[in-house]
């Protein structure tokens, strides 16, 4: 078996691959940067996922993206050629709604985010505000003295990625959160998405803004919080000791694997490449070690030839 050390954290040596493949029977993989990049599958990923299923590995797609429902993520996966089922999709919008449902939540939710979240709340019969643009139309003095209208009965705030984030939304969220009984959930804290030509600001910045002004920390539903996989483990669907986590980001995907006791594989087709892992190893702190994957490959499709 492979043991984690600085020296084996490279491409899988061919001789040991069948033994390694036998060491896990479930795979949880991140989506963006691992199986697809925006609207295109990453070369070899469709074939590799399909081969995993052929050799009886359970495969789950696990995304921190809160802008889509599970069904919409499923539709995207299948449109790109992956043959997945809805119960193989783990998403933060669905998990946030489920978190409230499991606590018998009966009040109304104030959502900063998109319809990915509100549709999942609707599916569970949980009331919420309407999402979309909420810009300031005047100036702060007029806004706070006349235009700001707070709703009654808000019992939770969910913060997900919101392309219409605005001063009014932040002000409303922190006003509701001033009540210590108000539940504060964040779907995820990803910092950014990177393309060859630009960097897209992620939900982490929005969550930080609300946390700072609310003077409270959110319960983060998404990776690296084990909550996102808890029901799979509790219901015996996966055995953590025989699960492989695949991701392109060390501080969410790999950290989730470390937190849950999974094996971890970093692929270099998204956010973090091998240079980042080397920097973590050089740091050598306990915190940095938790972010170091057991294995590294440039892309998921590189596994196909071993399967
Ligand atoms: Mg990713």
């Amino acid at each position: 078996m492979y043991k984690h050390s600085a020296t084996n954290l490279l491409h899988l040596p061919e001789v040991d691959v069948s033994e390694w493949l036998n060491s896990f029977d479930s795979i949880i993989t991140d989506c963006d940067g691992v199986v697809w990049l925006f609207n295109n599958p990453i070369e070899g990923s469709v074939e590799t996922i399909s081969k995993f299923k052929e050799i009886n590995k359970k495969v789950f797609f696990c995304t921190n993206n809160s802008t889509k429902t599970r069904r919409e993520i499923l539709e995207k996966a299948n449109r790109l050629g992956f043959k997945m089922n809805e119960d193989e999709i783990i998403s933060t919008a669905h998990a946030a709604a489920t978190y409230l449902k499991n606590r018998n939540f009966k009040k109304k939710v104030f959502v900063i985010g998109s319809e990915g979240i509100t549709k999942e709340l609707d599916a569970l019969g949980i009331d919420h505000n309407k999402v979309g643009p909420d810009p300031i139309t005047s100036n702060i003095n007029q806004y706070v003295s006349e235009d700001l209208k707070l709703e009654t009965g808000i019992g939770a705030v969910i913060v997900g990625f919101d392309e219409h984030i605005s001063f009014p939304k932040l002000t409303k969220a922190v006003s509701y959160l001033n009540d210590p009984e108000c539940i504060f959930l964040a779907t995820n804290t990803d910092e950014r998405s990177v393309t060859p030509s630009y960097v897209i600001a992620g939900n982490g910045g929005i969550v930080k803004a609300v946390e700072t002004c609310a003077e409270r920390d959110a319960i983060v539903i998404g990776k690296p919080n084990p909550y996102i996989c808890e029901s799979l483990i509790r219901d015996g669907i996966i055995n953590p000791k025989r699960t492989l986590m695949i991701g392109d980001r060390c501080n969410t995907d790999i950290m989730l694997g470390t937190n849950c006791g999974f094996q971890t594989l970093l692929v270099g087709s998204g956010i973090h490449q091998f240079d980042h892992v080397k920097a973590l190893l050089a740091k050598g702190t306990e915190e940095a070690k938790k972010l170091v994957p057991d294995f590294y490959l440039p892309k998921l499709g590189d596994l196909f030839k071993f399967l």
Side-chain angles (χ1 to χ4, degrees), residues 30-34 248-249 253 271:
D30 174 48
C31 297
D32 228 335
V34 179
D248 69 312
R249 194 193 285 261
D253 304 321
I271 299 285

Side-chain angles (χ1 to χ4, degrees), residues 34-35 41-52 82 299-305 307:
V34 179
V35 294
I42 294 172
E43 188 196 343
S45 62
V46 171
E47 296 83 348
T48 306
I49 293 295
S50 141
K51 192 74 188 176
F52 275 140
F82 300 95
K299 64 179 188 304
L300 180 64
D302 296 338
L303 264 182
F304 185 73
K305 61 175 182 283
L307 298 171

Side-chain angles (χ1 to χ4, degrees), residues 286-301:
E286 285 310 307
E287 275 313 295
K289 279 181 199 164
K290 291 180 188 168
L291 305 175
V292 174
D294 298 314
F295 304 102
Y296 175 82
L297 282 173
K299 64 179 188 304
L300 180 64

